Amino acid sequence: QVQLVESGGGLVQPGGSLRLSCAASGSILSFNVMAWHRQAPGKQRELVAGITTDGTTEYTDSVEGRFTISRDNDRRSVYLQMNSLKPEDTAVYYCAATGMYYNRRPFASWGQGTQVTVSS
């Protein structure tokens, strides 16, 4: 079983920055895509950013140029640097990952989420 634990959320003023971290544990042989999603109150969960094994990244339009996703395979971690935050970025942010267990079975897991609130 894979566990993903997010950290780094909190309250920040508009224009500020936060860095989210997500650490994975479990009998993991390898990761494929690692990603961050978010869900604002009353809205559907949406993909914010994703990163593949070779470092290819993808961002939703609303965060392009402000957010940066990165990963550290040795530390089994994925990060989201969020700059120039806006009130509309307020949401619960979830880490997600796909990959393979040591027994060669695939997995897809979600973290429990971390709250990000952007407000003055």
Side-chain angles (χ1 to χ4, degrees):
Q1 187 175 358
V2 175
Q3 286 190 323
L4 302 177
V5 179
E6 302 99 334
S7 61
L11 173 65
V12 63
Q13 292 187 340
S17 298
L18 282 176
R19 185 175 188 251
L20 304 183
S21 300
C22 173
S25 61
S27 300
I28 304 164
L29 174 64
S30 62
F31 290 97
N32 295 330
V33 176
M34 304 183 83
W36 289 94
H37 297 247
R38 68 185 178 187
Q39 187 166 18
K43 295 188 177 181
Q44 289 189 333
R45 191 174 296 188
E46 66 169 347
L47 174 66
V48 176
I51 183 167
T52 62
T53 303
D54 65 1
T56 300
T57 58
E58 181 177 348
Y59 299 91
T60 191
D61 289 346
S62 62
V63 308
E64 186 80 53
R66 299 188 296 122
F67 291 10
T68 303
I69 189 171
S70 60
R71 61 191 282 172
D72 185 331
N73 292 325
D74 291 338
R75 288 186 168 86
R76 299 182 169 187
S77 295
V78 62
Y79 309 97
L80 186 68
Q81 177 66 44
M82 304 185 294
N83 298 328
S84 301
L85 282 160
K86 304 175 180 180
E88 50 264 42
D89 295 317
T90 295
V92 178
Y93 283 71
Y94 297 91
C95 173
T98 62
M100 190 174 295
Y101 291 111
Y102 280 118
N103 63 9
R104 305 288 177 171
R105 295 184 67 181
F107 70 83
S109 291
W110 290 87
Q112 294 197 340
T114 184
Q115 177 70 46
V116 171
T117 303
V118 184
S119 175
S120 55

